Amino acid sequence: MDPLRSAAAGDWLKPRIDSQWHDMHAVVPRGFPAYARIFHPAWRDHPEATKTWHGHELPARGAVQGQEVGWSDVALAFGKHMHALTQFGRLTGPEIPRLGPVDAAGWRYGSPELGNLNPEKLAAAAVHLCAHTSTPNQGVTGIWEGYGGLTSSSGYVELTFVADGVQPDYGGGSEAPNAEPGTGLLPAEVVNGERLQLPGRSYFLFDTAPRIYLEPGWLHEAPWHHSPDSPQSPNLLWPADKSWVLVSEIDFDSTIVGGSWDLISALAQDPAIEALAIQEGADLTWDADVHNRPAQ
């Protein structure tokens, strides 16, 4: 997982990314035979005692029971239609003040994480990704440059409650916020080095074998996140043979994979991954979900 001193490994992506936003190809490379959309899990919870939020207010009294939930289950709970271009905000029903969306059974729902595919789903996807490349032991990971605490200790803090108050930790070994390059997670020579410049986004590149994401060990080795308890998945990932590309765009609540029809079919059929095939040129903006548009 060593940083790449040159960004040339990502040059092949530049002509495949649109310079203006028309559809997903402002961030997802064109030119692959097929594409899949992996839906990041959402979550839901309810009070453990009553099993329903109906009749409750925040703060809840007693323990709250939560669980990860797929988009299809959310659609089912609210009587909506799950399809490849679904937008999560269109799946949930009306919100209860101070609680948010609550279904008829009393579950409260929370949105999927943006720009981050959780380690379990990434590992499940990596099984198919590694099976559909000739170079599972060679590849590149791209991490967006803008994460707090990555290039400097400015913009990131962890708070620990101690006996005499709150103890801040600014990461990167810094004792106080510092905007100086190299005071964050990445050393100055990496921060001041080349970045992959794509339209509207820049990335640090790392030498990573795609197979490393099959096992949780990478969580302890990745130099780009602060803790294995709060991991950051690759924003970009591709093998050396460029047979596919994975994109977890920072503003998307799903991850897009471009590759062969066989790869996309394998992802879409795996019950451990909630994924659907999408067309090249797919529109993933909030208003593209025409099936679940509110009635006028």
Side-chain angles (χ1 to χ4, degrees):
M1 290 189 159
D2 293 333
L4 294 178
R5 303 301 181 185
S6 167
D11 285 349
W12 70 284
L13 297 171
K14 293 180 179 181
R16 296 184 178 214
I17 301 287
D18 293 350
S19 59
Q20 295 185 353
W21 196 291
H22 300 291
D23 50 40
M24 70 176 184
H25 297 297
V27 290
V28 177
R30 292 185 178 274
F32 287 94
Y35 292 86
R37 184 182 180 200
I38 301 174
F39 299 89
H40 298 175
W43 60 268
R44 65 184 179 186
D45 66 17
H46 59 201
E48 198 170 72
T50 62
K51 308 298 184 188
T52 178
W53 278 107
H54 293 299
H56 282 266
E57 292 183 354
L58 289 177
R61 295 181 180 178
V64 173
Q65 179 184 35
Q67 61 182 222
E68 188 177 276
V69 63
W71 291 37
S72 341
D73 292 325
V74 178
L76 185 63
F78 288 97
K80 301 296 180 66
H81 177 59
M82 179 64 186
H83 59 99
L85 301 183
T86 294
Q87 294 300 306
F88 189 81
R90 289 273 171 85
L91 287 184
T92 54
E95 297 192 1
I96 294 178
R98 297 187 64 203
L99 281 174
V102 177
D103 69 14
W107 287 100
R108 174 179 62 167
Y109 289 80
S111 301
E113 191 170 2
L114 300 180
N116 199 9
L117 183 61
N118 75 34
E120 294 76 22
K121 300 301 181 185
L122 177 58
V127 171
H128 304 293
L129 296 173
C130 290
H132 290 84
T133 175
S134 62
T135 57
N137 296 319
Q138 295 175 284
V140 177
T141 287
I143 297 295
W144 178 56
E145 66 176 358
Y147 290 119
L150 187 63
T151 62
S152 73
S153 62
S154 179
Y156 176 86
V157 63
E158 289 184 3
L159 300 178
T160 303
F161 293 94
V162 294
D164 57 350
V166 177
Q167 178 179 313
D169 176 4
Y170 298 99
S174 297
E175 296 181 356
N178 189 334
E180 199 65 32
T183 58
L185 292 172
L186 301 181
E189 59 268 25
V190 175
V191 176
N192 294 325
E194 286 189 27
R195 305 179 195 187
L196 174 60
Q197 306 283 344
L198 297 177
R201 298 284 184 265
S202 295
Y203 302 90
F204 293 105
L205 299 185
F206 299 84
D207 182 6
T208 49
R211 65 171 175 76
I212 201 169
Y213 296 110
L214 290 166
E215 303 293 340
W218 74 271
L219 299 171
H220 301 274
E221 299 174 21
W224 56 77
H225 59 222
H226 295 271
S227 165
D229 297 323
S230 301
Q232 174 59 52
S233 69
N235 297 117
L236 298 173
L237 175 65
W238 67 86
D241 66 3
K242 305 179 181 68
S243 53
W244 49 259
V245 67
L246 176 147
V247 180
S248 290
E249 152 61 24
I250 60 170
D251 289 331
F252 282 3
D253 52 14
S254 53
T255 289
I256 310 302
V257 175
S260 67
W261 280 107
D262 287 344
L263 169 58
I264 299 315
S265 177
L267 290 170
Q269 293 179 47
D270 188 339
I273 309 165
E274 188 172 32
L276 291 172
I278 57 175
Q279 305 253 340
E280 186 172 37
D283 181 1
L284 298 181
T285 56
W286 69 272
D287 201 38
D289 186 357
V290 296
H291 294 287
N292 295 307
R293 277 183 183 162
Q296 298 296 324

